[in-house]
Amino acid sequence: MSKLKPGSFAFVVKRDETSNYIVIGKILTDYNKLYRIKGTFIRPTGLIERVNAGRAQGKPVEALNNPDPNNCVFFIIDRLDAGEFDEEVDPRYDKIIPINENRFFVLDGWVKEGLSDLFYNYFNSSTAEERDEARTLLIGRMNSLVSQELKEHVYAVARSSRIL
């Protein structure tokens, strides 16, 4: 917890009525053991649907039940509901993990660049032609990324997913 201070970045796991979701952001204030965090919330709607339908097992289910900065890739390669977050977080109820600036910008860039939708389109293509078109769009987007860290991360996920 000592790395959690105003100005540092955090990965927060919150729970709502349906599942866990994550928040990535910057800690603005630390007052009365509450942290005000401004950033992005990420709800893995695609993964939640796949788990509920029984089509996801193993690591994706583990990532949904116990997300952390290392397994959140299972969150972000499917459809997402994402938006702005600016609230107080209580570490007694929510898990708060400090992350470095690069990790924050990779995750934030992934969401802001719409990479989740491109991966989703590839994995859910019904024909070989659709899959080839989705692959071409994904590769085009990957090649146009400016952030080297984000580009390396996306390429690693694409290789491990056997897209490349």
Side-chain angles (χ1 to χ4, degrees), residues 1-157:
M1 291 295 227
S2 64
K3 291 183 179 181
L4 296 174
K5 61 185 179 200
S8 63
F9 293 95
F11 179 96
V12 180
V13 180
K14 293 188 69 64
R15 178 102 186 135
D16 67 7
E17 62 278 349
T18 58
S19 71
N20 287 318
Y21 67 99
I22 61 174
V23 173
I24 53 169
K26 193 172 201 175
I27 298 173
L28 298 178
T29 61
D30 173 7
Y31 179 73
N32 226 11
K33 296 187 180 177
L34 296 175
Y35 297 96
R36 181 153 199 96
I37 298 181
K38 184 173 179 121
T40 304
F41 77 84
I42 303 168
R43 183 182 315 281
T45 54
L47 180 57
I48 292 168
E49 289 172 6
R50 286 190 303 131
V51 168
N52 290 340
R55 294 185 319 226
Q57 299 175 356
K59 290 181 182 182
V61 174
E62 181 182 321
L64 187 61
N65 292 332
N66 190 22
D68 66 44
N70 297 319
N71 69 11
C72 70
V73 70
F74 294 105
F75 265 60
I76 60 178
I77 61 170
D78 208 333
R79 284 183 301 116
L80 297 177
D81 177 20
E84 292 183 20
F85 184 89
D86 187 358
E87 296 178 21
E88 288 186 338
V89 176
D90 189 339
R92 293 175 292 185
Y93 304 107
D94 304 314
K95 183 166 67 170
I96 305 175
I97 302 167
I99 58 174
N100 66 35
E101 186 177 17
N102 285 345
R103 177 67 61 105
F104 168 78
F105 283 116
V106 165
L107 294 174
D108 190 58
W110 191 288
V111 172
K112 292 205 167 55
E113 291 286 340
L115 295 167
S116 299
D117 291 335
L118 294 173
F119 274 87
Y120 173 79
N121 291 339
Y122 175 82
F123 290 127
N124 291 293
S125 299
S126 57
T127 65
E129 186 176 288
E130 286 178 357
R131 185 169 281 220
D132 287 343
E133 183 179 332
R135 181 179 182 273
T136 301
L137 286 171
L138 179 59
I139 290 171
R141 178 67 62 87
M142 291 185 325
N143 288 336
S144 70
L145 293 172
V146 175
S147 165
Q148 190 61 35
E149 291 87 11
L150 178 57
K151 186 181 272 192
E152 289 172 2
H153 190 264
V154 174
Y155 268 90
V157 172

